[in-house]
Amino acid sequence: MKHLLKVLCLIMLTLTSCEKQKEVTTDNTKDFKAVEQVVQGVFDDIWSDKKAELLSKYHTDDFILLEHGEVWTNDTIANWCERAKLRDDGMTRINSFDFFKAKKEGNRIWMAYHNYATLKKDSLERKAQWLESIVAIKQDSTWKLELMHSTRVNTK
């Protein structure tokens, strides 16, 4: 009888532990998807549509981008958006991503992904690719990017 009771207790503990793990995994998956949407939004609204007024929607106030040896802030990106609006008249950029690694600790998520862009103007089309990572933090129940690191990948 003692052995049966021990076995039942062990089964109950295992089931409870599995249930908690499922909850954590589900929460992480939901949060990972939310951060992936933030990344998509950043590239669609900021880098494609050049809407600097939306930076605070996606970035923390102290956000930095490490871009090919340079440090960019929200101000740097806002200035880039203004210059790009003048020079890229008629250019479209279509963004897609391949997220391949994600980790969550508390209210912080780290992700690594491939970033693909198709740039089009009139009949001209060019493809570009980057290997990137981000750190996102949850502020007032909203995920925002705190850090991005971007390295161009040569495409042939």
Side-chain angles (χ1 to χ4, degrees):
M1 184 69 172
K2 269 186 170 180
H3 293 296
L4 181 59
L5 189 56
K6 284 181 183 178
V7 170
L8 286 174
C9 285
L10 189 58
I11 290 172
M12 292 292 284
L13 285 172
T14 303
L15 291 175
T16 303
S17 176
C18 289
E19 221 25 65
K20 285 182 182 175
Q21 185 60 39
K22 282 183 190 176
E23 288 174 20
V24 169
T25 302
T26 301
D27 287 348
N28 286 351
T29 301
K30 181 179 150 190
D31 287 335
F32 293 156
K33 290 294 181 195
V35 172
E36 288 175 8
Q37 288 302 310
V38 170
V39 171
Q40 185 74 53
V42 165
F43 280 92
D44 290 347
D45 290 343
I46 307 301
W47 298 106
S48 292
D49 294 343
K50 301 157 193 81
K51 295 179 180 174
E53 67 274 12
L54 295 179
L55 281 165
S56 63
K57 175 180 178 181
Y58 299 110
H59 293 173
T60 60
D61 292 341
D62 61 347
F63 171 86
I64 61 168
L65 163 62
L66 305 175
E67 174 73 24
H68 235 35
E70 296 179 7
V71 178
W72 290 33
T73 64
N74 287 327
D75 289 340
T76 312
I77 297 167
N79 290 334
W80 176 88
C81 287
E82 293 309 311
R83 290 189 316 274
K85 284 179 189 177
L86 297 174
R87 81 169 174 262
D88 295 343
D89 188 37
M91 169 124 11
T92 60
R93 174 180 168 152
I94 301 162
N95 307 292
S96 63
F97 304 92
D98 176 19
F99 295 93
F100 61 87
K101 185 78 174 182
K103 289 186 179 183
K104 181 180 178 194
E105 289 184 16
N107 282 339
R108 189 172 305 274
I109 288 179
W110 170 89
M111 285 186 159
Y113 57 93
H114 295 280
N115 176 353
Y116 305 96
T118 302
L119 306 159
K120 294 180 180 183
K121 184 171 182 180
D122 302 324
S123 62
L124 300 175
E125 182 176 299
R126 185 171 71 92
K127 304 255 186 212
Q129 180 181 346
W130 299 263
L131 179 62
E132 298 180 338
S133 62
I134 58 95
V135 175
I137 62 169
K138 199 168 199 178
Q139 292 183 332
D140 301 323
S141 72
T142 302
W143 287 102
K144 291 189 176 191
L145 302 186
E146 182 177 50
L147 170 73
M148 180 183 291
H149 186 240
S150 179
T151 304
R152 277 183 232 124
V153 175
N154 290 329
T155 56
K156 295 180 182 181

